[in-house]
Short mmCIF file of all heavy atoms in Angstrom, two decimals:
data_model
loop_
_atom_site.label_atom_id
_atom_site.label_comp_id
_atom_site.label_asym_id
_atom_site.label_seq_id
_atom_site.Cartn_x
_atom_site.Cartn_y
_atom_site.Cartn_z
N PRO A 19 96.88 94.66 140.51
CA PRO A 19 97.52 93.94 141.61
C PRO A 19 98.93 94.46 141.84
O PRO A 19 99.68 94.63 140.87
CB PRO A 19 97.57 92.47 141.13
CG PRO A 19 97.26 92.49 139.69
CD PRO A 19 96.85 93.87 139.27
N THR A 20 99.31 94.71 143.08
CA THR A 20 100.66 95.22 143.37
C THR A 20 101.18 94.61 144.67
O THR A 20 100.44 93.99 145.42
CB THR A 20 100.69 96.76 143.56
OG1 THR A 20 100.29 97.07 144.91
CG2 THR A 20 99.79 97.50 142.59
N MET A 21 102.48 94.84 144.89
CA MET A 21 103.05 94.48 146.20
C MET A 21 103.36 95.76 146.99
O MET A 21 104.14 95.74 147.94
CB MET A 21 104.30 93.64 146.02
CG MET A 21 103.99 92.32 145.29
SD MET A 21 105.16 91.00 145.61
CE MET A 21 106.67 91.73 145.03
N TYR A 47 99.72 93.33 148.35
CA TYR A 47 99.99 92.11 149.12
C TYR A 47 101.39 91.63 148.74
O TYR A 47 101.65 91.32 147.56
CB TYR A 47 98.94 91.03 148.80
CG TYR A 47 99.19 89.74 149.54
CD1 TYR A 47 99.16 89.71 150.95
CD2 TYR A 47 99.47 88.55 148.87
CE1 TYR A 47 99.41 88.54 151.64
CE2 TYR A 47 99.72 87.38 149.56
CZ TYR A 47 99.69 87.37 150.93
OH TYR A 47 99.94 86.21 151.63
N ASN A 49 103.55 88.94 148.47
CA ASN A 49 103.19 87.52 148.39
C ASN A 49 104.38 86.62 148.73
O ASN A 49 105.30 86.47 147.91
CB ASN A 49 102.72 87.26 146.94
CG ASN A 49 102.53 85.80 146.65
OD1 ASN A 49 102.08 85.05 147.51
ND2 ASN A 49 102.85 85.40 145.43
N GLN A 52 106.10 83.95 146.21
CA GLN A 52 106.88 84.22 145.00
C GLN A 52 108.32 84.64 145.29
O GLN A 52 109.05 85.02 144.39
CB GLN A 52 106.18 85.27 144.13
CG GLN A 52 106.14 86.68 144.68
CD GLN A 52 105.27 87.59 143.82
OE1 GLN A 52 104.05 87.51 143.85
NE2 GLN A 52 105.90 88.47 143.06
N VAL A 119 103.70 83.55 141.65
CA VAL A 119 102.98 84.66 141.00
C VAL A 119 101.64 84.16 140.44
O VAL A 119 100.59 84.77 140.68
CB VAL A 119 103.84 85.29 139.88
CG1 VAL A 119 103.00 86.25 139.04
CG2 VAL A 119 105.04 86.01 140.45
N ILE A 122 99.10 83.41 143.28
CA ILE A 122 98.46 84.57 143.93
C ILE A 122 97.58 85.33 142.95
O ILE A 122 96.48 85.78 143.32
CB ILE A 122 99.50 85.51 144.60
CG1 ILE A 122 98.80 86.59 145.43
CG2 ILE A 122 100.38 86.22 143.58
CD1 ILE A 122 98.03 86.08 146.60
N VAL A 123 98.02 85.46 141.71
CA VAL A 123 97.20 86.23 140.75
C VAL A 123 95.88 85.50 140.51
O VAL A 123 94.82 86.12 140.42
CB VAL A 123 97.99 86.51 139.45
CG1 VAL A 123 97.08 87.10 138.37
CG2 VAL A 123 99.15 87.47 139.73
N PHE A 137 99.02 95.27 134.16
CA PHE A 137 100.37 94.91 134.60
C PHE A 137 101.38 95.75 133.83
O PHE A 137 101.11 96.20 132.72
CB PHE A 137 100.64 93.42 134.32
CG PHE A 137 99.73 92.49 135.09
CD1 PHE A 137 98.49 92.13 134.57
CD2 PHE A 137 100.10 92.00 136.33
CE1 PHE A 137 97.64 91.30 135.28
CE2 PHE A 137 99.26 91.16 137.05
CZ PHE A 137 98.01 90.81 136.52
N ASP A 141 107.96 93.88 133.98
CA ASP A 141 107.98 92.44 134.25
C ASP A 141 107.42 91.72 133.02
O ASP A 141 106.36 91.11 133.07
CB ASP A 141 107.15 92.13 135.49
CG ASP A 141 107.73 92.78 136.73
OD1 ASP A 141 108.84 92.42 137.12
OD2 ASP A 141 107.08 93.70 137.28
N GLN A 144 106.65 88.05 133.31
CA GLN A 144 105.49 87.86 134.20
C GLN A 144 104.19 88.10 133.43
O GLN A 144 103.21 87.35 133.59
CB GLN A 144 105.59 88.83 135.39
CG GLN A 144 104.29 88.94 136.19
CD GLN A 144 104.45 89.75 137.47
OE1 GLN A 144 104.95 89.23 138.45
NE2 GLN A 144 104.03 91.00 137.46
N ILE A 148 101.29 85.32 132.97
CA ILE A 148 99.91 85.55 133.44
C ILE A 148 98.92 85.42 132.28
O ILE A 148 97.83 84.85 132.43
CB ILE A 148 99.80 86.92 134.16
CG1 ILE A 148 100.55 86.83 135.49
CG2 ILE A 148 98.34 87.32 134.38
CD1 ILE A 148 100.77 88.15 136.19
O1 PAF B 301 104.31 92.45 139.87
C1 PAF B 301 104.03 92.33 141.08
O2 PAF B 301 104.05 93.30 141.85
C2 PAF B 301 103.63 90.97 141.62
O3 PAF B 301 104.36 89.95 141.01
C3 PAF B 301 102.11 90.69 141.54
C4 PAF B 301 101.65 90.63 140.09
C5 PAF B 301 101.34 91.76 142.29
C6 PAF B 301 101.81 89.34 142.18
O4 PAF B 301 102.19 89.31 143.52
#
Side-chain angles (χ1 to χ4, degrees):
T20 82
M21 299 204 300
Y47 179 62
N49 171 36
Q52 70 187 74
V119 169
I122 188 64
V123 171
F137 297 87
D141 297 295
Q144 167 172 281
I148 290 169

